[in-house]
Structures are given as C-alpha cells and as structure tokens.
Amino acid sequence: MRADAERNRMRVLRAAEELFAAKGAPNVTMEDISRAAGVGRGTLYRRYPDRASIAVALLDEHERALQERLLRGDPPLGPGAPPGERLAAFYAAMVRLLEDHSHLVLGAETGRSRFETGAYGFWRAHVRALLTAAAHPAPDALVEPLLAPLAPDVYAYQRDDRGLTPAQITTALAHLARRVTG
Amino acid sequence: MRADAERNRMRVLRAAEELFAAKGAPNVTMEDISRAAGVGRGTLYRRYPDRASIAVALLDEHERALQERLLRGDPPLGPGAPPGERLAAFYAAMVRLLEDHSHLVLGAETGRSRFETGAYGFWRAHVRALLTAAAHPAPDALVEPLLAPLAPDVYAYQRDDRGLTPAQITTALAHLARRVTG
DNA sequence: CGATAAGTGGACGTTGTGTCCACTTATGTT
DNA sequence: AACATAAGTGGACACAACGTCCACTTATCG
C-alpha cells in the first residue's frame, strides 16, 4: 500500500462520516463523498464499491471494541454471568451502539446486506452461544428472531416514530432476554 | 373512477405480479411494469408512485383475509384462546403468508416504509392487545421487538441463507410467543 | 351530441451509478 | 541520481432508472 493511498483512505472516511452525520446517509451520494474528500470518483470506487461499504468501514472500530468486551470483558457483558443476564447486557450495549451511531448504521445496512457483514456474524455466534449455554432446544432458529429487534430500521422506528427512549427499549429487551433464556 | 382506469389498474397489478415472481421484485423497473401492462409511464405513476406501493396493493387482499381471521376467526388465531397461544398462532399465520408471497413482500417493504403500511399498523395493534391481555408491564416497548422477526428480509435470510424450514421458524416463534407472554 | 373532466402515454430532463483509460507518482533497483 | 514499473488517481463518459409534464384521447353526463 502506497502512503498516498492510505492518506486518501482516511480522507474518504473522514469526509463520509461528516456527510453522513450532516445530511443522513441515504442522501449522500458517492459524488458528494469523493468531492468532499478531494478525491476522484475512480479512486473512491477503487476501495469502496458502494455507500454501504463505507459505512461498514466506519462502524468497524466501534463494533470491534464491543466484540472485545463480549469476549474478554467483565460480567455481565463478558463471560461469567448467567446467559440471560449476558444477553440483556448485550442488548443494552447494542442499544448504546445504535444510539451513538444511528446515522451511520442506518445508511449502512440496507436490506439483506446487513446479514453479510462480519459484525452480524459475530453477534450471531455470540447470541447462539448464549442460547446454547441456556440449554435451549433449537438455538439456530431463535438467533435471528432475537437479533431482529436490533435492526437499524426497527430501532429508528421505535425511537423516532413511536417516541420510545433508549432506556425504555433497553428495559423491554432485557425483559425479553430474561424471559427467553429463563 | 372511469371504467378504463379500473381496467388498467388490474392490468398493472397482474403484470407486476408476474414480473415480481419471474425476476424478483428489486429487479423490476417501473418501465418494465408499464410496458408489460401495455400502459404508459405517466398512467402507472398516476396511481402508484413507486414499486413498493404496487407490492403493497398486491399483498393487500391476502393480508385482509388474515386480519379478518384475527378479529373474528376461530381460536387460537381468533379470540378465545390465551394470549400466548394466539400470539403463536399469529406467528404461524404470518410465516405462512411470508412463505406464500415472499417474492412480493421482499421488494415491497424496503427499509422504514414497511412500518407505514396499514397492515403493519394492524399487526402492531393486534400484538399490543395480546401483550396487554397477558398483563405485560410495558406492551409498547415490546411490540416492535416481537414483530421484528417477521421482517421480510429476516425471514428470507433465515430461510435462504441459514437453511431453516418454515416449520422450524414457526416452532421457534411459537416458543418465543409462549415464553414472552408466560 | 357536445362539453368537460378524467385518464393516458411517451418524450424529456435530471440524477446517480459505475467503468474506463490516459496520466501521475511512490517506490526500489542499478 | 536517474530510471523502470506498478500502483494509484481523477474526471469524462455511457448508461439506467426516475419522476414530471403536457398535448391528446375518451368515458360520462346533461
């Protein structure tokens, strides 16, 4: 990797982050980003084939931090607590993540492409492991239903259209977590 | 409404249904539909501003039939059964609906527009009523999490990518329904 | 049989996409 | 220090789909 390529990569990400926050991800065109980054269209497309891949790249570091805490952090998020509590803590952390980066996450994951990100695979494996630990008969069929409430559009709908607070959403999900692993 | 307008409306719906089934909803353009229906672009746009509204119209009758059964049908789908069982039956019926019309429903509900359809409002009210009947403390915050697994893209992912059968999905959702209302 | 309002259709301008290729520049080799 | 070369760059371009607009047609009613 050439040094200027790396520099441009950073400029693209920084510009995209700013634009997403300012205008909302769906309203930002690839041209907007390339212009704001001071980079040509071709250069932009070289690394990021579409808007989603940019948003994914932006979210990556935040998600990685949470993944680390899930694997090695303190209970109840990390290992040690009972499955239901860990699931509730996971929900709470995800709500926090969605809240902090809603504008990113919203434009990022359009339709089924959401499931194909590395992060989704990680959440999936985590929840599946918790269900298994709770001795659930069919963890595979319950994983997606339990992750579905964390879909960005569901979250945004609850928050913006139904007027729910993050705290209310967290409480409800904690309730769900305990019930389902109980 | 003029007779020819009604005739064209039918032709558009029939053409769209065929195209959606044949090529998958996202790959069908408005032009495709208008040409297949033997109708001009302007005529198409007059009644249906976008692809989603066409798919919604197509789904409407099927959804209405289910709505009728929820309100006045036999238990456990209709009134009479305990809330947990009614919720499980509702899930089963929705899985059936998704299974039968997946190609329609998939292109129909892109992102947040899903929540704005009349049908979603109906499902929402129904589930909320069941939660209330089950004496839940905060039904409003649990409705969306319980409906989220029925999002078309979640269902399609479970079925096509995870290889789950409709029966497995139904079983898992029944389990969820009983746990959460228990 | 007009009058007229509703309905029709396709041409058109606009916007965003993604590709392509001639040019530039960092890097390491002699 | 000059050169070779492969990686990187940028904007022109062709394309696809969108949604609008308006002159024309036709059903319906008095």
Side-chain angles (χ1 to χ4, degrees), chain A residues 85-159:
Chain A
E85 294 310 308
R86 290 195 70 190
L87 184 55
F90 167 69
Y91 274 144
M94 285 298 283
V95 166
R96 184 71 195 282
L97 200 68
L98 286 166
E99 189 63 24
D100 290 349
H101 306 290
S102 56
H103 53 286
L104 284 187
V105 94
L106 260 179
E109 318 188 329
T110 170
R112 286 171 80 168
S113 83
R114 178 165 74 93
F115 303 108
E116 279 144 26
T117 67
Y120 187 85
F122 189 96
W123 309 145
R124 190 173 195 292
H126 182 63
V127 171
R128 192 185 180 290
L130 293 179
L131 285 173
T132 304
H136 242 273
D140 284 313
L142 254 179
V143 176
E144 266 74 34
L146 289 180
L147 285 173
L150 298 174
D153 50 0
V154 173
Y155 184 77
Y157 175 73
Q158 289 189 93
R159 196 185 184 303

Side-chain angles (χ1 to χ4, degrees), chain B residues 52-67:
Chain B
S53 64
I54 300 179
V56 166
L58 284 171
L59 283 170
D60 221 38
E61 60 186 276
H62 305 292
E63 289 180 329
R64 249 201 279 279
L66 176 53
Q67 288 171 15

Side-chain angles (χ1 to χ4, degrees), chain A residues 35-98:
Chain A
R35 190 171 32 232
V39 147
R41 251 171 121 50
T43 305
L44 180 57
Y45 273 95
R46 158 174 297 266
R47 200 172 307 269
Y48 303 107
D50 51 31
R51 216 188 347 273
S53 64
I54 300 179
V56 166
L58 283 172
L59 283 170
D60 221 38
E61 59 187 277
H62 304 292
E63 288 179 329
R64 249 200 278 280
L66 176 52
Q67 288 171 14
E68 186 60 27
R69 284 197 293 152
L70 288 176
L71 289 176
R72 279 177 283 278
D74 294 332
L77 203 53
E85 294 310 308
R86 290 195 70 190
L87 184 55
F90 167 69
Y91 274 144
M94 285 298 283
V95 166
R96 184 71 195 282
L97 200 68
L98 286 166

Side-chain angles (χ1 to χ4, degrees), chain A residues 2 4 8 40 42-43 46:
Chain A
R2 277 168 42 163
D4 56 344
N8 275 347
T43 305
R46 158 174 297 266

